[in-house]
Structure formats: C-alpha cells, structure tokens
Amino acid sequence: MSFTTEQTAALAKELHQSERSRVQVEHFSKRFPGMTIEDGYAVSRAWVAMKIAEGRKPIGHKIGLTSRAMQQSSQISEPDYGTLLDDMLFAPGDIPAERFIAPRVEVELAFVLKQSLSGMNVTVDDVIAATEYVTPAIEIIDARIEQFDRHTKAMRKVQDTISDNAANAGIVIGGRKMHPREVDLPWCGAILRQNGAVEETGLAAGVQGHPAIGVAWLAMKLAPWGEQLQAGEIVLAGSFTRPVPAKRGDAFDADYGPLGRFEFRFV
C-alpha cells in the first residue's frame, strides 16, 4: 500500500463530501499514479467507517465487476467488493432521485445468509448451505468519482471505483424468497424494462458461471482482514446485465419470472 493514513482519511472525506453535495471529484488515480488496489480498499474502508461513526449500520456486501467483459474493460482478473449500509436499502416503489449523482441500475440476485462464512477454503456448496434464501435485487450504482475525466475524457481506473465503495449506492429487494436448492441459480433470468421498453435481459450464469461463486470468493477475500460474512447479512452476488442509466421520472419493471416481479421509480 502506498497511501499514508492521512492521505487515506483525506480521500475518504472527499468522497463523503461528494456524496452530500452531489458534486463529483476527479480521479484519485490521476492525482496519485502509484495508487494500488489495496489503497482503494483502504479509502473505501475509511469512508465506510466514517459513515458508521455517524450512525449508519452495515447490512452486508456487494460484489462488482463479476462479468468477464467488465473485468477485461477494467484490466483486472477478479471482482471487487463494497459495503452495504442500512440507508441504502429500498423497498419497491418510489426511490428518491436526490440521493444520487449519476445513478445506474443493475439486475442481480441477493443471498441472505443464515450462517457465517469464513476462511480460505469456501466453496459454492458452503455458500448454498449457509444461505437462508436468494431473492431478486436491483443494485443502484453511483459515481462520487467521475466516470470520465473532465479534462482528458479518460475512463477512471478500478482503483477509483474500489475507493468509491465499489460504486455502491442503493439496493432494491423484491420478488420471491427462494431456498437456493429450490432454483437452478445459473438459469435464473430477468427482464428489465425502463419506461415500458425492454432495456436489458440476462441470466445469472453471467456472474462467473454461478452467482454463488462470487459469494465464496468474497468470504475468502475478507479472511486476511480477519473478517467474515455474517449470518443475517445480504450479499449482492453481481450484475448479470449492463448498468442502465436512470434519471428522475424513470420507471423500472424488474421481471425475474418464477422468482417474481417488482417495480420502482426514481422520483
């Protein structure tokens, strides 16, 4: 890691202010060309700690960059992850647009755990056994760090996205709760309509072949920090569609077939 504790804290404060003011900041990776992925996670953790100190409560985790195409475009070989907090959780219905800067919508499955998962040898079977139920979920991602540099139009680097809590901003949960053995998880599909038009379709197999693979990966990724996935936590397994930009007034319909259907609107 190349950042000092002071640098890490200062960048976390910038993100905190950006979220409140809804004014994006420039790429950290441009200011600090030596920035590492570990630096990104350190900034993200410092920002989450800031929110927890203000009264927010962690409710789980999100896994991002799970598709092969997204990893190739980000020039990495594994996903990234961020923390879900209680104020990010929304029911279907009205979503306050003023909460976000540049929201985009992703189609996912959420795993809700009944047992903890920890250690360096977590398997898909372990994830299935530890899961109380899976349920349809929409992740709302956002960008406190601008996606494209305002001067050069260069795309941000994965270090920036990771420091920005893996672009995490909101989660909408709806549809049916299913035991993971009751459903063929890779074949879970969804149709996402935006203002009545089919905008995206996908299968959960797009998440590394099986959505539980990312959950196992995350449990092992947290182990060196002395952390684990806890019983009761929500884990967003990763998107199996491209992100769809959303703006005030947009109405979405997420249809997961046998897993149910729900609607939400940015107001």
Side-chain angles (χ1 to χ4, degrees), residues 54-93:
E54 290 182 352
R56 299 272 58 89
K57 290 185 172 56
I59 58 169
H61 309 267
K62 65 81 53 103
I63 305 165
L65 302 177
T66 48
S67 75
R68 187 164 169 76
M70 290 295 284
Q71 289 180 13
Q72 287 174 335
S73 70
S74 299
Q75 299 180 314
I76 58 168
S77 59
E78 66 175 17
D80 67 357
Y81 65 90
T83 303
L84 296 171
L85 298 168
D86 56 353
D87 64 336
M88 297 175 180
L89 183 60
F90 298 97

Side-chain angles (χ1 to χ4, degrees), residues 80-218:
D80 67 357
Y81 65 90
T83 303
L84 296 171
L85 298 168
D86 56 353
D87 64 336
M88 297 175 180
L89 183 60
F90 298 97
D94 290 348
I95 309 290
E98 71 271 6
R99 277 279 304 272
F100 309 101
I101 302 170
R104 294 186 291 161
V105 166
E106 294 185 332
V107 171
E108 314 209 0
L109 289 176
F111 287 68
V112 178
L113 302 179
K114 62 182 177 182
Q115 297 167 9
S116 63
L117 283 166
S118 62
M120 295 304 296
N121 295 293
V122 180
T123 66
V124 165
D125 284 342
D126 293 334
V127 173
I128 300 299
T131 299
E132 184 176 353
Y133 60 87
V134 294
T135 192
I138 291 290
E139 185 183 6
I140 303 168
I141 59 173
D142 204 359
R144 278 68 55 163
I145 298 175
E146 56 196 15
Q147 191 173 7
F148 297 98
D149 180 81
R150 65 190 71 173
H151 307 292
T152 67
K153 307 305 176 196
M155 190 166 176
R156 68 187 168 201
K157 290 187 164 60
V158 70
Q159 295 95 313
D160 299 305
T161 310
I162 288 170
S163 64
D164 195 10
N165 196 19
N168 189 14
I171 170 177
V172 187
I173 288 185
R176 296 177 62 197
K177 299 173 181 177
M178 301 276 284
H179 190 276
R181 296 201 195 280
E182 290 181 311
V183 58
D184 189 348
L185 287 170
W187 282 99
C188 287
I191 302 165
L192 181 69
R193 290 178 175 86
Q194 182 180 26
N195 302 324
V198 174
E199 198 62 47
E200 273 296 313
T201 63
L203 285 176
V207 185
Q208 303 180 92
H210 193 298
I213 288 173
V215 182
W217 169 85
L218 180 57

